[in-house]
Every structure is written in structure tokens, then in C-alpha cells.
Amino acid sequence: YVKLKAEPTNPLFASILETFLKEKAKEGKVESTMVFLHTANVNFLKFLENRGIKDLRELTPQVVTLFFVVGTHAKTPSSKQAYAFRVRQFIQYLARQKIVSDKLEYAVPTRKPRIVSIVTTLSDEQVMEVRNYGKQNPTVMECRDRAIGLLALRLGIRAIDICNLKFCDISWDDREITLFQRKTGKPLALPLPTDVGNAIATYILEKRPRSNLPYIFLTNKRPYVQLGRSGCTGTGK
């Protein structure tokens, strides 16, 4: 996992946090999860230091609750909930180590205001625009973006998984795409529709820069490298 510069000044706190993170790393947590676990619990431990607590056995439910009122850097209900989830894991670890009571985790808030968002969908005209994009004499970028757009539209694959798509993930004979989802770590197998397969094949055979990289989608400028997530969302080249 990636260690950030900020660490608790109390060496006992730092040691316990280090051991906790190593345990989580062994569970196969992805890098972004490890970074958030580290950040949330460093803030928690620094809050305890500022409150004059030098021993985690001194933790009380009141102090834990106060952290979520004034101690986190979270601004939105969803980010506060994310903080609570990470700190609760740390407190559960402390309980397993017999450092705190196994009931202390109940001091971590579990409820948040419900957020109702408006779901945006594409109109029939917009769907047709995506389907027809780059059909006639496309440039390199248009050809690549057409394949990416159809993968997202027809199969619902996340941008990060499209960028990570490799040649070995596509079975042309079986007309199937298989991959491990970056966000969930779970395998996914999807049928390969004809229009999506044709768009990918056209990009590979006619427009893709010459490269030995295993990734299908590359940047359009030298040095050719794997396309980043921003390239799938329209903010990169």
C-alpha cells in the first residue's frame, strides 16, 4: 500500500496503525482503498492526540462520536459515511487486539441523510449519435472513441475497465469479453455484440498505433502508452 507523509506523532499509535494496514493489505485491498484507510485513520489518531489521549485504552464512546462531529475533513454526508466505514474497521481491529471494548464501534455513526439524485439517461437521439459516431472515414481518435463509446453504451463497462482492457480479454471465437472489474475485484463475462466487436476490430487493425503493449486502447501521441481513465471520459487525449 502507499504510505502518505502524514503519520501520528505518537509512536504507539503509528505502530498500531501500521499493523492494521498490513492486515488489510493481506486481504487484497486495492491501492485506493488502502490510501483512504490510511488517511481516515491518521486523521482519527491525530484528533485523539490533540485531545490529549496517549493510550488507545483511554478511548471512550464520547470521544469517538466527537470525532465525527468536529474532527473529520469530510464535507458531504456520503464522505462522512465513508470516513465512518474506515474508522469502524480500525476500531474493530482494536477490539480484536483487546485494546478497546468490542462495543466501542457502536459509537461510530451509522446513519446519514438520504441523498436522492436525478438519474440521467440518454435520449433515443443521443443513443443514435453514439452508435453512428465515427462510422464514415474516422480519424484515429474518432475510431478509438467509437469503440470506447459502444463498449460503455452497449455493455455498461466502467471507464477504468475499458482502459484496462487487454487483447487476452476478448475471445473472438466465442464472441465474449471477460475481465476482472477494478472497482469490485470480481470477474465479469459479457457477450460481445457485433457492432461493438466490429468497432474494436477496426480500431485494432486500422488505426491503433504500433505497440507491443497488451492494452487495446492507447494514447494517440508518442510515446504511446495505455489510455488513462480521462481518455474514456472525454477529458484526456
Side-chain angles (χ1 to χ4, degrees):
Y1 64 94
V2 177
K3 290 182 64 176
L4 303 182
K5 293 182 179 179
E7 295 289 347
T9 56
N10 185 322
L12 292 177
F13 287 5
S15 177
I16 292 173
L17 178 61
E18 179 81 7
T19 307
F20 164 71
L21 292 174
K22 285 182 178 178
E23 180 181 284
K24 288 299 178 182
K26 288 180 180 179
E27 295 176 3
K29 303 296 185 183
V30 298
E31 180 180 319
S32 58
T33 298
M34 294 302 303
V35 170
F36 199 173
L37 276 169
H38 180 275
T39 301
N41 286 295
V42 163
N43 288 337
F44 178 57
L45 292 172
K46 283 185 170 292
F47 173 78
L48 300 184
E49 291 177 341
N50 293 335
R51 301 288 299 179
I53 295 176
K54 299 179 180 180
D55 190 330
L56 290 173
R57 291 178 174 83
E58 301 173 16
L59 261 179
T60 64
Q62 290 78 13
V63 173
V64 173
T65 301
L66 184 62
F67 169 72
F68 290 98
V69 176
V70 299
T72 73
H73 297 297
K75 302 298 183 183
T76 64
S78 59
S79 59
K80 289 181 179 179
Q81 187 76 0
Y83 257 85
F85 180 69
R86 273 74 184 182
V87 173
R88 183 182 297 109
Q89 292 181 66
F90 181 58
I91 292 177
Q92 290 170 342
Y93 170 78
L94 296 178
R96 292 196 300 272
Q97 301 302 313
K98 307 300 183 183
I99 297 174
V100 301
S101 166
D102 58 2
K103 295 181 174 58
L104 185 62
E105 65 174 285
Y106 299 142
V108 178
T110 57
R111 295 183 179 181
K112 66 174 183 177
R114 185 175 181 181
I115 299 176
V116 179
S117 58
I118 299 175
V119 177
T120 57
T121 59
L122 298 179
S123 65
D124 293 340
E125 292 76 12
Q126 290 171 322
V127 170
M128 288 305 299
E129 287 183 15
V130 175
R131 286 178 176 272
N132 294 327
Y133 178 80
K135 266 190 174 182
Q136 304 297 326
N137 301 317
T139 64
V140 174
M141 185 177 293
E142 289 173 342
C143 187
R144 185 197 68 188
D145 291 351
R146 170 175 168 76
I148 291 173
L150 287 175
L151 277 167
L153 175 69
R154 301 277 274 125
L155 301 181
I157 301 177
R158 295 184 180 93
I160 188 63
D161 293 326
I162 293 176
C163 295
N164 287 335
L165 197 64
K166 299 179 181 180
F167 290 103
C168 61
D169 295 331
I170 298 181
S171 173
W172 299 101
D173 292 335
D174 297 331
R175 299 178 65 179
E176 185 178 63
I177 293 179
T178 56
L179 53 88
F180 277 91
Q181 300 174 87
R182 175 68 179 274
K183 182 175 182 179
T184 64
K186 296 181 179 179
L188 180 67
L190 297 168
L192 181 63
T194 300
D195 56 344
V196 179
N198 287 342
I200 296 174
T202 299
Y203 171 69
I204 293 172
L205 298 174
E206 300 180 11
K207 302 293 185 179
R208 184 180 183 272
R210 291 181 178 273
S211 172
N212 293 325
L213 289 173
Y215 303 101
I216 292 177
F217 298 110
L218 305 179
T219 55
N220 292 324
K221 296 180 180 180
R222 296 179 184 273
Y224 302 123
V225 296
Q226 176 191 4
L227 185 68
R229 183 177 178 179
S230 62
C232 288
T233 57
T235 58
K237 301 300 182 182

